[in-house]
Amino acid sequence: MNTNEQLDRLVARSVDLHTREEFERKLKAAASENRPLRIKYGADPSAPDIHLGHVVGLNKLREFQDGGHTVVFIIGDFTAMIGDPSGKSQTRKPLSRDQVKENAVSYQEQVFKILDPDRTEVRYNSEWLSPMGFEDVIRLSAHVTVAQMLARDDFSKRYGANQPISLVEFLYPLVQAYDSVMVKADVELGGTDQLFNLLLGRELQKVMGQEPQVIMTLPLLEGLDGVNKMSKSLGNYIGVTEPAKDIFGKAMSVSDDLMWRYFSLVLCMREDEMAAMQEAVASGARHPRDVKDELGRKLAARFHGEAAAAAASEEFARVFSKSELPEDIPELTLSAGDLENGTIGILSIMVKGGLASSNSEARRLITQGAVKINDEKVADPKHFLTPADGMIIRSGKRGFLRIKL
RNA sequence: GGUGGGAUAGCGAAGUGGCCAAACGCAUCAGACUGUAAAUCUGACGACUUAUGUCUUCGAAGGUUCGAAUCCUUCUCCCACCA
């Protein structure tokens, strides 16, 4: 692959690139000197679950690696131990050293599902941040002005709206920028929300006499709701360690419009290939559900293999399309002590079996017509039943329970 | 240090003595419609074996009152502005 091809491939799907000229120059220089570029990527170990939103960036990193470059994967263990108050009023609670270490390990396991370990340099930023004294911090801070900080969109908005901004939040971008200096990054990758921080890395490198890093931002993947970016705190994510059937099921719940984003950003489907699929759906040649099934399968297969993906797809069709029973149904074992005259109230079964968190909730579900015993609708919350082994209680679309005596 | 504002259910946000288990929006759950879609519509959304019933909730603790989310006192926490 020559440099131009590589450039095109690497630039695909990116949003910002500062600057293309520099990037081209760096790629050429690296090729002629036969040395890899150092691609920096920062990870926050306070949320150790990697989801598809992260995969967007990891995919790109992998492309760099396939081009022979080195990924410098920075685990922000130092910053995690301080706790980032950014955004919401709720301060993120600082993690202990052990927690951070633990998270970092699981983080790496997940990341190497996508990245090539041989071309990855894992670094912890405590390595250079911990030994710093207050004097060093002050010197570092001197490089940036408040006006520069307020240029960040989210800061200026919050400042204008009389919302609190902690001083720590000002320090965070600075720390991140300093990481770039310490690892001598050639390129830094991040989501579009990271633009400011990445740019600050460039500035700081310049000030400190380094060649500034090229920065590349990638689109933020929308979560399952189709509106907000995928994030753990919003609960709209698909995690890479989730069971195949959950990955599949969640993928199926995505709207038709959104599924193309997943094809493109997570599965890296080529433009022309995708255009052909969209055309097929538009003309009616392919049913959108089948396309989504393909999406779900491919996602599940990526993290669990083809066999598991196929099984997930079949299970899904059985349970939801045909409304049959899933393979694994949680069991509730009833003992004689639970029964009165050989019967038991439907409400207590539901609460015991975890189908409802309170009697009131169980009652609600029943009056709303969500509950079935062996496929027969229950209308009366006061219903008492004589349990039989293997009896199936169903609540809504997802709640199942098998009685065991 | 000073001045002002604030703390209400998962979140946002009304409510300034009884009609408040607390409007509304979002989220959630259920039903209808479907392709488990999405969108839409309907309903539910503190608990209690559903009762025009009881109990626990409106930052915390006390108090006033027949009656308090609402008034008073103290406390805790948060924010803005001025210095």
Side-chain angles (χ1 to χ4, degrees), chain A residues 244-245 247-248 293-316:
Chain A
K245 71 172 194 210
I247 292 180
F248 186 90
D293 179 83
E294 185 179 328
L295 173 70
R297 271 177 197 247
K298 282 189 167 155
L299 289 176
R302 174 132 192 214
F303 303 107
H304 294 284
E306 298 287 345
S313 167
E314 278 158 33
E315 165 99 350
F316 186 86

Side-chain angles (χ1 to χ4, degrees), chain A residues 196-346:
Chain A
F196 177 87
N197 296 356
L198 303 184
L199 284 168
L200 195 63
R202 267 172 77 82
E203 294 301 313
L204 201 62
Q205 282 176 314
K206 268 190 244 175
V207 172
M208 303 243 186
Q210 287 185 13
E211 193 183 321
Q213 62 185 5
V214 167
I215 67 159
M216 182 186 283
T217 65
L218 295 168
L220 296 176
L221 183 69
E222 291 81 359
L224 302 175
D225 54 30
V227 180
N228 298 301
K229 76 164 182 173
M230 186 173 281
S231 82
K232 195 183 181 195
S233 54
L234 291 172
N236 60 356
Y237 70 101
I238 300 179
V240 302
T241 56
E242 291 190 61
K245 71 172 194 210
D246 289 350
I247 292 180
F248 186 90
K250 286 185 179 182
M252 289 303 276
S253 79
V254 146
S255 77
D256 288 358
D257 293 335
L258 188 61
M259 72 176 168
W260 303 112
R261 295 277 287 173
Y262 285 56
F263 269 116
S264 161
L265 296 176
V266 183
L267 296 173
C268 302
M269 182 174 270
R270 287 205 322 272
E271 293 271 338
D272 52 334
E273 218 176 319
M274 212 163 78
M277 272 175 98
Q278 282 170 319
E279 174 57 36
V281 169
S283 70
R286 282 196 76 183
H287 197 294
R289 193 211 46 224
D290 297 335
V291 176
K292 211 180 287 173
D293 179 83
E294 185 179 328
L295 173 70
R297 271 177 197 247
K298 282 189 167 155
L299 289 176
R302 174 132 192 214
F303 303 107
H304 294 284
E306 298 287 345
S313 167
E314 278 158 33
E315 165 99 350
F316 186 86
R318 179 166 66 239
V319 177
F320 294 106
S321 304
K322 296 183 196 145
S323 211
E324 288 169 11
L325 297 174
E327 226 149 58
D328 296 318
I329 299 179
E331 294 190 334
L332 173 66
T333 308
L334 292 175
S335 61
D338 297 322
L339 305 180
E340 271 179 63
N341 302 325
T343 65
I344 182 166
I346 180 70

Side-chain angles (χ1 to χ4, degrees), chain A residues 62-255:
Chain A
R62 179 64 201 223
E63 286 176 11
F64 272 99
Q65 290 183 323
D66 292 343
H69 302 292
T70 302
V71 165
V72 182
F73 193 83
I74 297 187
I75 293 180
D77 64 334
F78 185 81
T79 32
M81 285 187 286
I82 296 168
D84 179 3
S86 61
K88 302 291 175 331
S89 53
Q90 240 182 357
T91 310
R92 207 183 281 176
K93 51 179 178 299
L95 298 182
S96 73
R97 198 168 285 268
D98 287 345
Q99 278 174 301
V100 168
K101 208 176 252 176
E102 204 175 294
N103 288 354
V105 170
S106 94
Y107 216 114
Q108 286 184 53
E109 270 169 30
Q110 299 175 61
V111 159
F112 288 133
K113 281 174 186 262
I114 295 163
L115 296 185
D116 174 0
D118 293 336
R119 290 186 205 271
T120 306
E121 180 181 320
V122 177
R123 301 287 287 273
Y124 293 80
N125 67 1
S126 59
E127 182 190 325
W128 50 85
L129 294 176
S130 284
M132 284 175 85
F134 200 59
E135 188 186 332
D136 302 312
V137 176
I138 290 174
R139 280 186 204 285
L140 187 60
S141 312
H143 293 305
V144 189
T145 67
V146 170
Q148 270 178 300
M149 282 296 172
L150 285 176
R152 188 165 115 176
D153 189 46
D154 117 89
F155 284 156
S156 64
K157 270 195 197 128
R158 279 158 64 196
Y159 189 67
N162 284 354
Q163 303 244 310
I165 301 172
S166 151
L167 203 52
V168 180
E169 290 182 73
F170 273 2
L171 254 23
Y172 261 75
L174 193 58
V175 163
Q176 195 176 325
Y178 189 59
D179 290 346
S180 291
V181 173
M182 293 314 285
V183 303
K184 299 190 171 61
D186 289 305
V187 179
E188 180 165 8
L189 221 67
T192 50
D193 58 345
Q194 290 291 310
L195 181 61
F196 177 87
N197 296 356
L198 303 184
L199 284 168
L200 195 63
R202 267 172 77 82
E203 294 301 313
L204 201 62
Q205 282 176 314
K206 268 190 244 175
V207 172
M208 303 243 186
Q210 287 185 13
E211 193 183 321
Q213 62 185 5
V214 167
I215 67 159
M216 182 186 283
T217 65
L218 295 168
L220 296 176
L221 183 69
E222 291 81 359
L224 302 175
D225 54 30
V227 180
N228 298 301
K229 76 164 182 173
M230 186 173 281
S231 82
K232 195 183 181 195
S233 54
L234 291 172
N236 60 356
Y237 70 101
I238 300 179
V240 302
T241 56
E242 291 190 61
K245 71 172 194 210
D246 289 350
I247 292 180
F248 186 90
K250 286 185 179 182
M252 289 303 276
S253 79
V254 146
S255 77

